[in-house]
Amino acid sequence: NNHVKHSGMRSFLVVLPASLVAGDIYLHAPRGSNNKLNEVSNNAQNQARLFDSQNNAAGGYQVGDNCDPVCSNANGQYDANTPGAGEGQMYYYEGSLLHIDWTIQHGCGSGQGNVKCNVVLQYMCEDSAPGLRDGKTTSRVPATPEGEADPQYGLHEPLSWYKDCSIRERNRGLYTADQNLGGTRNRAINTRQNPNGDRRGLECPEERDYYPYWHPTPWRDIAVLTDDLSRCGFYQSHSQNVRDYGQCCDKEYHSITNGKCIQPLNEDPNQGGPNNIGECQSANNNGLWVESGRWNTWTPRCEATPFSRDNHLGNAASAKGGGGDPMTDAPHFTWRVPGEVLNAMRAQEATCVLRIRYNISTADYDGWNGLDGSSATSDAVTSVFNGVNAKIMNNPTADFVGFSTNPEAQTAYPLKLNVNTAQFGRVFEDRSHTFKIKRLPSNNPCGIGRIHNLNVRGRRGNIVQVYPAVEYDFVPTRLEAHEGDCIHFQWTGSDANPTGNAGNGRRMTDRINVVELGSTARLGLNKPAKHGYRDVSNGVLRYTSYSSMFSDEATVRKMAYIGQDVRCVNGTCVPSLRCDDNSNDENSVNNCKELNAAPGYFDGGLVRMDRPGSFSYTSTRNNDFSNRSQKATIVVHPWKVALAIGGGAAGILFLAVCILLTRRHVERYPDKKVAKMRVVQQTLGFCDFCGRRLETSFLVRYPYTLALLGLCGMLYAIGFWMALGDSDPAPTYGHAKGFGRMLDVLCNVIFFPVLRNMTSWLRTTPVGRVLPLDATLYFHKVIGMLIAVATIGHIAMHYVRFNWQASSGSGETVVGQAIGRWTGISGHLIALCMLLMFFTAAERFRRRKWGKIGGHSIFVRVHKLWIPVLLLLWFHSRSFWHYSLFPTLLLILDKLIGRMRGKEPLTLVSAKSPAKDVLHLSFKLASGRRFKFRAGQYLFLQCPAISTTEWHPFTISSSPEEHTFSVHIRCRPDMDWTFALRQLILPEVHGRDMQKIPTSKQTTRPCMVEHVVPSDSVQLADVEAPFKPNAPSAPPDLDQHELFMDGPYGTASEEVFHYQVMVLVAAGIGVTPFASILKTLAYQAKNDMLETPLKKVSFYWTCRDQAEFNSFKDIMEGICTDPYLGRMFDLNTYLTGELNLKSISASEKYHQFAGRPNWSRIGKKIGDEYPDDDVGVFLCGPAAIGTQLAAMCKTMNPVAVDTRSSVADRRTSRLDVHKRPRKFVFHRENF
């Protein structure tokens, strides 16, 4: 016999296990029947009513009722004859998203090491199953035309389908183990799982047990979920959705019925009808083989099966080695309800049913590769293993362990395995009650938005009474939609629950409503919010109390009261006058508090979700915290604002590109038509005007500051926008989150300007020319100010929120909300630390002194609170670590580098006071290595004898070419650390210059120095006092004072070597970096090693008095007289303090002025002399001079102006785009 040996047998049951398994599957949403109808029992009365589930009879849910208000008689018993009984039928709009939800007993998923499984989802509609219905009786439909037509009986598959199955010969190539399928058990109704051919409804057992089936079926495929995704190609290509299958048809019947098909009988009455093309078209059978059945729709989706543990009917989990974090839902699949059946029927609605099949096997049985990993045929486990060749028999008994023989024991040690080969590789099934697929209504409020179905699973009773069904729950428990989407609120329940099942409200009934939970309740608490709504009357948008996810009060009331207050007939609704607010009788139909006056079926219709946010809700009747909870969440994601911003940005970019292309076209082809168009000329002229205004605007003057402010605005908007997805409805909640998002970023960005090692490195890269590295201290302060503003806003908005919630009946006080949680405690600690750091960082505080305690010392110590602040922020905000991880690693790396290069011991070579309140120190590295630095850089000094924690920055005043390096330190009495250093090294009582004299004896501590007083030491002198050397005196013992160095670090002054024309401006001791630079320039000029050919170096030095100037007079005069620099070096000194003109001696080597420089005159002079060269302007001095120099640079930077006088000139000539105007570039020294 040429029997069917289709490879599809591998895909379903044949992929099943090699042991007895009980792996029930239960469909919960849509409401699965498990063959139940309306029996007042926890168990199905007839497990053969519609299909073969092989599940526990206690599973499943009664059909939905829609009686007004309850399907019961005068005695309170369920009455199936009440109008509306069994008519609570669900419907779903085409294109809507339906959450299919189930549980399985024996586990599934690729991470499940115990089993192998597949789950197949299909649906069938009345176009292929005419008369599809739930029925009114629990009796099985007779397999007769009269039974098929009787509406009392439930009907899924049509009678013709079962008749063909009962006649057609079974596939003899299938594996049946040792089951007795001989003799007349040769029809498609006889299978390994159903060898006796028992009938369940009008289902075909062979088609039920195998997928994909090899003959046309009335089922359409939705999805195949498998633990082996490599088989997806096979499943999808063999789906009836995309291909035909063959069947043998009675040739005469096919001809007279215009193409209808019935299975012909075999000439041998003991044999089944032909099931393959060879036997069908044989001379004896004279049949017609017809290929048909393709649905011409999408291939089924093929995905991995959700992981769930075996012997556990519960939620799924992520597949992580057989474990993982639990999910909030049971295994589920989201189905986009198709409309193809409506197109096929040319109808507005169609009745359908959904089925789910679960195929399971143990790991030692692989239908694709053989039993125990062995395969004897190319078709894997097939009929060659049947009968006496079966590898495993029913209840086998043997010495499986392999004990050694022991005659004295008088036993062969046999063991029995509990194996039923009929259930070896097994399929379980559940089906929904019938539902309808409908066309979208003409008044569809959703527009282009999606439609989400929100339904309910579960039935009345506690967990023991309903098991393996479930208690009440919304499906899905977390529904995520987008702004403008619609949600179809709809559910159905039964009035035929067993009398003794636990629950609230009228006994035996299922009733559900939707009431939103309050602000702080979310899913943890159970008190509903005082519902607010949006009042759009008179064009006013108003929120009252809690802002509901619904758009109006009518919808809020409808969801909460589920229509008990009205009675609607044919679309006309009037007050029901049914509710008795004083009734406390749980079984009274007038007790609307318990939802008793509502039918079991509720259709809330399509509700457009226009308010973004996260909304938690509950059912007031079923959310009984003592033994059950029915709560869920709807999240509405915003997109309109993002689309508007993105669209606007894209539009601006497109417009800019168009203008640039137009300008290029006009410049290249001035005689073309486009260049002569008036609108083009006006547009380009307007763009030129805007460009000139832009170049003189605040945006160009302070681009990085504006960029930082723009970043803050964007972060605030993002934080506010994302807060809309949270469930807190307080009016200020979004603002608090907006400020919080700013703090998340700013509290990390503030570290970047003070990463000295990274900043120094960036100066050596091309990035250093783009970033404002000269203004690191300025940006550190600006970011600190922004943090202060954001902190105030964040705290203020939260306190307003706390007050709002306390006044809205949340049950929590303002203080309890503020400090009753870790976030509140940590937030207040962070604010306190920030306040201390902000207050002590003020310049007025740092320059003050309280006795021996200086403000700067306090500032340094308090600023170390950044460490606990950073730690607290990591635990205060759940999202902070996302922003902080990389900056924190960078900060740690910078500190480690500083620690590695820091604490370099120094040897003090000389110490002297060249001017009033100035200390000049010269060093060598104690290690003997040469100290490598660049002119203009600075270092940090520490003196443990003064403070073990303070490090202070000082510019290196010597040239890198010298053998020692030196610093000049201002040390006024009001400067605690520097004055203490001067007192330590050069005590006021001596006032002498101290210089180390080499000795033959090497000290054991290389950083210790020995000092004597040389004969040329001097006292400090004021302007009026002439220079008088003092007699030598005994020096103090300074050998016990250690000095350490960290550096060098880069500054803006390093950029001088990139300019041919430069202006150097120093104020007082600010001359020190330029002293180093000028020495280096002199050395480079002498040795012909200049990095950039010099044209002009103008040095402007403002001093308070002659003493300050005298400290560097010699070196300046040396440079003036230097034959290599003298012709390009211009020294200008300005004495701004009170002068004794008799003490001033004029010099022809440099210019001397009294008063303050006129920077406008100076800038114009240099600009006129060098019109084509960029001018580098460098300052080391107070902010007031910096402001004047910045204004000068702005004035001297010309705006690009089109000098072509006429339109004709513009058409015939082009701008020289390659010629860039000269710029004055300002660099400011900062620490």
Side-chain angles (χ1 to χ4, degrees):
N1 292 333
N2 184 21
H3 296 294
V4 175
K5 293 186 179 181
H6 195 279
S7 59
M9 63 188 169
R10 298 190 224 171
S11 63
F12 209 54
L13 256 189
V14 181
V15 187
L16 303 191
S19 68
L20 174 62
V21 291
D24 306 4
I25 186 167
Y26 301 98
L27 184 65
H28 302 294
R31 199 173 172 93
S33 73
N34 197 40
N35 277 308
K36 280 183 180 174
L37 184 62
N38 54 11
E39 49 265 58
V40 185
S41 170
N42 286 322
N43 294 331
Q45 291 185 1
N46 186 356
Q47 281 287 67
R49 188 174 75 90
L50 290 171
F51 58 95
D52 181 13
S53 74
Q54 300 213 3
N55 294 328
N56 190 303
Y61 305 88
Q62 285 86 350
V63 70
D65 292 314
N66 193 22
C67 300
D68 185 18
V70 64
C71 303
S72 63
N73 55 26
N75 297 323
Q77 301 299 316
Y78 181 77
D79 185 358
N81 296 316
T82 305
E87 296 178 8
Q89 186 182 49
M90 302 281 285
Y91 71 92
Y92 310 106
Y93 287 113
E94 61 173 330
S96 65
L97 301 177
L98 179 64
H99 188 96
I100 302 174
D101 186 290
W102 67 90
T103 54
I104 50 182
Q105 178 179 334
H106 213 70
C108 202
S110 59
Q112 235 308 352
N114 295 332
V115 297
K116 297 180 180 180
C117 67
N118 296 285
V119 173
V120 176
L121 291 162
Q122 296 174 299
Y123 74 106
M124 176 176 64
C125 298
E126 54 186 317
D127 62 332
S128 60
L132 182 65
R133 58 184 180 267
D134 292 316
K136 299 290 186 180
T137 177
T138 58
S139 299
R140 183 182 62 175
V141 59
T144 63
E146 295 76 16
E148 182 183 34
D150 191 340
Q152 292 296 312
Y153 297 105
L155 181 70
H156 283 185
E157 289 92 346
L159 177 63
S160 59
W161 167 254
Y162 179 76
K163 288 292 187 182
D164 287 348
C165 179
S166 63
I167 295 173
R168 186 172 55 247
E169 185 177 16
R170 67 177 178 85
N171 186 341
R172 292 182 178 269
L174 299 175
Y175 170 69
T176 60
D178 61 348
Q179 292 296 309
N180 181 15
L181 292 176
T184 58
R185 295 184 175 185
N186 55 12
R187 306 298 199 272
I189 59 174
N190 305 111
T191 66
R192 180 169 55 82
Q193 282 191 248
N194 187 40
N196 295 326
D198 297 331
R199 180 169 71 89
R200 279 90 169 180
L202 296 176
E203 182 180 48
C204 178
E206 188 177 63
E207 184 273 338
R208 173 202 177 278
D209 293 354
Y210 296 91
Y211 178 88
Y213 195 50
W214 38 87
H215 298 300
T217 82
W219 294 94
R220 290 177 169 91
D221 295 334
I222 298 173
V224 179
L225 311 180
T226 177
D227 56 8
D228 188 349
L229 294 177
S230 65
R231 298 170 186 165
C232 285
F234 170 80
Y235 292 134
Q236 292 177 324
S237 63
H238 286 78
S239 168
Q240 194 177 315
N241 286 6
V242 296
R243 60 162 292 176
D244 289 319
Y245 279 101
Q247 62 179 333
C248 189
C249 299
D250 185 283
K251 185 180 294 186
E252 181 179 353
Y253 182 83
H254 186 272
S255 176
I256 63 177
T257 59
N258 195 25
K260 292 185 179 181
C261 180
I262 61 172
Q263 174 71 42
L265 298 174
N266 195 298
E267 61 173 348
D268 184 353
N270 294 322
Q271 299 296 321
N275 66 359
N276 58 77
I277 186 172
E279 290 190 359
C280 178
Q281 296 180 350
S282 66
N284 293 332
N285 291 316
N286 193 28
L288 179 66
W289 187 259
V290 177
E291 297 277 346
S292 64
R294 179 166 52 187
W295 296 113
N296 291 318
T297 185
W298 301 102
T299 58
R301 285 167 57 184
C302 185
E303 300 178 358
T305 49
F307 177 88
S308 59
R309 49 182 285 205
D310 50 346
N311 296 327
H312 183 76
L313 284 167
N315 289 351
S318 58
K320 296 179 181 178
D325 299 328
M327 296 167 61
T328 57
D329 290 326
H332 61 272
F333 177 85
T334 302
W335 179 36
R336 184 178 292 275
V337 179
E340 60 206 36
V341 62
L342 304 178
N343 299 330
M345 297 176 60
R346 298 182 180 180
Q348 294 298 308
E349 63 181 36
T351 301
C352 302
V353 66
L354 182 141
R355 80 169 173 180
I356 184 169
R357 288 183 289 170
Y358 166 51
N359 153 250
I360 184 174
S361 66
T362 60
D364 54 354
Y365 181 109
D366 188 345
W368 293 75
N369 299 311
L371 290 166
D372 295 325
S374 62
S375 177
T377 71
S378 60
D379 285 331
V381 181
T382 59
S383 57
V384 298
F385 296 108
N386 293 343
V388 296
N389 295 322
K391 296 295 184 181
I392 300 179
M393 303 292 187
N394 267 327
N395 300 327
T397 300
D399 177 10
F400 295 102
V401 179
F403 292 108
S404 58
T405 304
N406 185 358
E408 297 180 358
Q410 297 183 355
T411 179
Y413 299 103
L415 295 173
K416 176 185 176 182
L417 299 182
N418 296 311
V419 172
N420 182 351
T421 54
Q423 299 177 347
F424 221 65
R426 192 174 182 186
V427 173
F428 299 86
E429 178 184 12
D430 200 0
R431 299 186 184 185
S432 69
H433 296 289
T434 61
F435 59 87
K436 288 186 180 296
I437 297 178
K438 290 188 176 184
R439 298 274 189 196
L440 286 171
S442 57
N443 60 344
N444 174 25
C446 314
I448 62 173
R450 296 184 299 178
I451 298 176
H452 305 262
N453 289 286
L454 191 145
N455 309 132
V456 171
R457 71 176 190 173
R459 62 186 179 93
R460 187 185 183 97
N462 58 40
I463 186 63
V464 175
Q465 293 165 337
V466 303
Y467 187 85
V470 296
E471 298 179 89
Y472 298 117
D473 205 355
F474 291 104
V475 177
T477 55
R478 180 181 174 89
L479 192 156
E480 300 203 20
H482 286 84
E483 188 178 5
D485 286 355
C486 283
I487 296 179
H488 187 188
F489 290 84
Q490 181 191 201
W491 49 81
T492 191
S494 173
D495 295 338
N497 290 289
T499 305
N501 279 20
N504 303 309
R506 185 178 175 87
R507 65 190 182 93
M508 303 175 65
T509 62
D510 299 320
R511 298 293 186 271
I512 295 95
N513 66 339
V514 165
V515 176
E516 294 175 66
L517 295 171
S519 58
T520 58
R522 304 197 180 187
L523 292 181
L525 302 179
N526 301 276
K527 185 179 179 180
K530 293 181 180 179
H531 280 69
Y533 58 94
R534 293 186 296 174
D535 183 3
V536 293
S537 60
N538 301 321
V540 177
L541 183 63
R542 178 175 62 88
Y543 285 94
T544 64
S545 186
Y546 171 73
S547 301
S548 171
M549 61 179 164
F550 301 118
S551 60
D552 54 74
E553 186 181 11
T555 306
V556 174
R557 183 181 295 110
K558 181 180 181 180
M559 295 298 171
Y561 234 52
I562 57 176
Q564 296 177 101
D565 56 336
V566 295
R567 175 173 289 181
C568 300
V569 179
N570 297 326
T572 302
C573 298
V574 296
S576 66
L577 305 178
R578 176 180 291 162
C579 297
D580 181 1
D581 292 349
N582 297 318
S583 175
N584 292 316
D585 183 359
E586 280 206 341
N587 289 304
S588 171
V589 295
N590 302 117
N591 187 349
C592 294
K593 297 190 292 289
E594 297 281 3
L595 311 181
N596 292 346
Y601 171 78
F602 173 76
D603 181 14
L606 294 175
V607 178
R608 183 182 172 94
M609 309 305 291
D610 286 325
R611 180 171 183 248
S614 180
F615 307 95
S616 299
Y617 60 96
T618 184
S619 171
T620 56
R621 170 165 160 165
N622 302 318
N623 189 47
D624 188 343
F625 189 73
S626 63
N627 61 351
R628 63 185 58 86
S629 174
Q630 187 179 3
K631 292 180 283 189
T633 302
I634 293 174
V635 179
V636 181
H637 298 286
W639 63 268
K640 292 182 180 179
V641 175
L643 179 63
I645 295 174
I652 293 173
L653 179 62
F654 176 76
L655 182 62
V657 171
C658 291
I659 292 174
L660 289 174
L661 293 177
T662 302
R663 179 180 293 278
R664 172 187 269 183
H665 181 82
V666 170
E667 291 179 349
R668 289 185 176 180
Y669 308 103
D671 297 326
K672 297 291 184 180
K673 182 178 179 180
V674 174
K676 299 177 181 180
M677 294 175 64
R678 184 177 180 85
V679 64
V680 172
Q681 295 177 5
Q682 291 178 340
T683 301
L684 296 180
F686 177 75
C687 292
D688 291 339
F689 171 79
C690 293
R692 290 192 294 271
R693 289 293 179 268
L694 181 64
E695 289 189 4
T696 59
S697 68
F698 186 85
L699 181 64
V700 173
R701 292 167 59 193
Y702 306 102
Y704 295 103
T705 303
L706 286 179
L708 189 59
L709 294 176
L711 173 65
C712 291
M714 183 181 67
L715 292 171
Y716 177 87
I718 292 174
F720 184 88
W721 181 33
M722 294 181 66
L724 297 177
D726 295 338
S727 62
D728 197 315
T732 59
Y733 178 75
H735 300 288
K737 288 299 182 182
F739 285 118
R741 189 69 59 177
M742 287 175 57
L743 290 170
D744 282 342
V745 176
L746 292 176
C747 288
N748 289 289
V749 175
I750 195 170
F751 293 114
F752 285 95
V754 293
L755 297 179
R756 294 192 294 266
N757 292 286
M758 186 186 74
T759 304
S760 297
W761 172 73
L762 287 176
R763 289 183 183 278
T764 65
T765 68
V767 179
R769 301 190 178 184
V770 179
L771 297 179
L773 299 180
D774 298 345
T776 52
L777 184 59
Y778 164 77
F779 278 103
H780 184 70
K781 293 178 179 179
V782 169
I783 296 171
M785 293 292 295
L786 292 173
I787 289 176
V789 172
T791 301
I792 294 172
H794 184 67
I795 295 174
M797 292 301 102
H798 269 308
Y799 266 97
V800 174
R801 167 176 166 253
F802 297 154
N803 182 66
W804 185 89
Q805 291 173 347
S807 61
S808 298
S810 66
E812 293 185 273
T813 64
V814 173
V815 175
Q817 296 177 79
I819 60 175
R821 301 179 179 87
W822 164 248
T823 52
I825 296 173
S826 59
H828 284 84
L829 290 175
I830 292 169
L832 177 61
C833 293
M834 286 184 173
L835 179 63
L836 293 173
M837 287 193 292
F838 191 82
F839 179 74
T840 57
E843 185 173 1
R844 181 173 297 180
F845 181 92
R846 288 186 288 115
R847 294 194 179 277
R848 290 197 62 179
K849 193 171 184 180
W850 296 269
K852 294 185 178 181
I853 302 176
H856 186 82
S857 298
I858 299 175
F859 157 73
V860 170
R861 287 166 173 79
V862 171
H863 236 60
K864 294 186 182 298
L865 288 174
W866 70 264
I867 299 174
V869 167
L870 187 61
L871 293 175
L872 286 170
L873 283 169
W874 271 70
F875 295 99
H876 173 77
S877 171
R878 289 178 297 176
S879 60
F880 183 77
W881 72 273
H882 296 134
Y883 305 93
S884 183
L885 186 60
F886 174 72
T888 301
L889 293 175
L890 203 60
L891 177 63
I892 294 173
L893 179 62
D894 189 84
K895 293 296 181 183
L896 288 176
I897 294 175
R899 180 62 61 88
M900 292 171 62
R901 66 186 291 183
K903 286 209 170 185
E904 179 76 34
L906 299 176
T907 298
L908 184 60
V909 176
S910 69
K912 57 186 176 181
S913 237
K916 184 180 180 180
D917 299 333
V918 174
L919 180 64
H920 177 203
L921 302 178
S922 296
F923 309 98
K924 285 185 178 181
L925 295 180
S927 62
R929 294 184 296 107
R930 184 179 179 83
F931 180 49
K932 297 181 180 179
F933 64 96
R934 288 173 59 101
Q937 291 186 326
Y938 68 98
L939 53 78
F940 281 82
L941 283 181
Q942 184 207 41
C943 181
I946 302 175
S947 173
T948 58
T949 59
E950 293 187 40
W951 291 77
H952 291 262
F954 301 102
T955 303
I956 303 173
S957 56
S958 57
S959 171
E961 284 73 24
E962 296 182 41
H963 296 292
T964 62
F965 58 97
S966 61
V967 295
H968 285 70
I969 303 172
R970 185 174 294 281
C971 44
R972 296 195 307 266
D974 62 332
M975 297 178 175
D976 54 341
W977 190 90
T978 57
F979 188 74
L981 181 66
R982 179 172 180 243
Q983 288 288 85
L984 183 67
I985 297 179
L986 293 178
E988 287 288 344
V989 66
H990 300 289
R992 311 294 188 187
D993 289 350
M994 313 300 289
Q995 191 168 40
K996 181 178 179 180
I997 297 178
T999 63
S1000 58
K1001 182 179 179 181
Q1002 179 66 33
T1003 176
T1004 57
R1005 301 184 63 164
C1007 59
M1008 302 303 169
V1009 294
E1010 298 177 359
H1011 292 81
V1012 298
V1013 181
S1015 60
D1016 59 346
S1017 296
V1018 299
Q1019 280 188 324
L1020 297 177
D1022 56 25
V1023 175
E1024 290 80 6
F1027 177 79
K1028 293 181 178 181
N1030 290 319
S1033 61
D1037 184 8
L1038 302 179
D1039 290 349
Q1040 299 304 315
H1041 302 306
E1042 298 176 296
L1043 291 172
F1044 295 93
M1045 181 268 296
D1046 177 19
Y1049 294 103
T1051 66
S1053 301
E1054 295 181 62
E1055 301 293 325
V1056 296
F1057 301 103
H1058 299 154
Y1059 294 93
Q1060 294 181 338
V1061 180
M1062 64 185 74
V1063 177
L1064 310 180
V1065 182
I1069 200 169
V1071 73
T1072 51
F1074 301 126
S1076 174
I1077 290 169
L1078 293 173
K1079 292 178 184 178
T1080 303
L1081 288 175
Y1083 177 83
Q1084 291 180 351
K1086 180 179 180 180
N1087 294 279
D1088 196 20
M1089 297 170 57
L1090 287 171
E1091 298 181 22
T1092 303
L1094 283 177
K1095 294 182 178 180
K1096 186 68 174 180
V1097 179
S1098 294
F1099 183 48
Y1100 297 87
W1101 185 16
T1102 64
C1103 300
R1104 290 178 303 173
D1105 48 41
Q1106 185 69 27
E1108 279 191 338
F1109 172 71
N1110 287 337
S1111 63
F1112 280 93
K1113 180 178 179 180
D1114 292 341
I1115 188 172
M1116 295 307 168
E1117 290 183 342
I1119 292 176
C1120 291
T1121 59
D1122 188 281
Y1124 300 97
L1125 283 183
R1127 58 185 176 82
M1128 64 185 69
F1129 180 73
D1130 181 21
L1131 173 60
N1132 304 271
T1133 63
Y1134 291 80
L1135 300 181
T1136 61
E1138 183 178 334
L1139 297 178
N1140 182 353
L1141 296 178
K1142 293 181 179 180
S1143 66
I1144 303 298
S1145 59
S1147 173
E1148 296 180 356
K1149 301 174 183 177
Y1150 55 87
H1151 305 287
Q1152 293 174 288
F1153 300 91
R1156 302 182 185 279
N1158 185 338
W1159 298 117
S1160 298
R1161 176 188 62 79
I1162 294 171
K1164 185 176 185 308
K1165 177 184 177 183
I1166 295 176
D1168 292 341
E1169 291 179 359
Y1170 302 96
D1172 299 326
D1173 294 294
D1174 287 347
V1175 179
V1177 181
F1178 297 85
L1179 167 68
C1180 185
I1185 300 180
T1187 303
Q1188 297 170 16
L1189 289 174
M1192 181 266 287
C1193 292
K1194 175 191 171 185
T1195 303
M1196 295 307 302
N1197 286 335
V1199 178
V1201 179
D1202 191 350
T1203 58
R1204 296 172 292 180
S1205 58
S1206 64
V1207 175
D1209 292 337
R1210 295 171 186 264
R1211 293 176 182 171
T1212 58
S1213 63
R1214 303 183 198 171
L1215 284 173
D1216 187 357
V1217 297
H1218 299 288
K1219 185 177 181 180
R1220 182 177 62 81
R1222 174 255 301 136
K1223 287 186 179 181
F1224 276 61
V1225 185
F1226 182 42
H1227 301 270
R1228 184 181 315 198
E1229 187 92 9
N1230 282 313
F1231 294 114

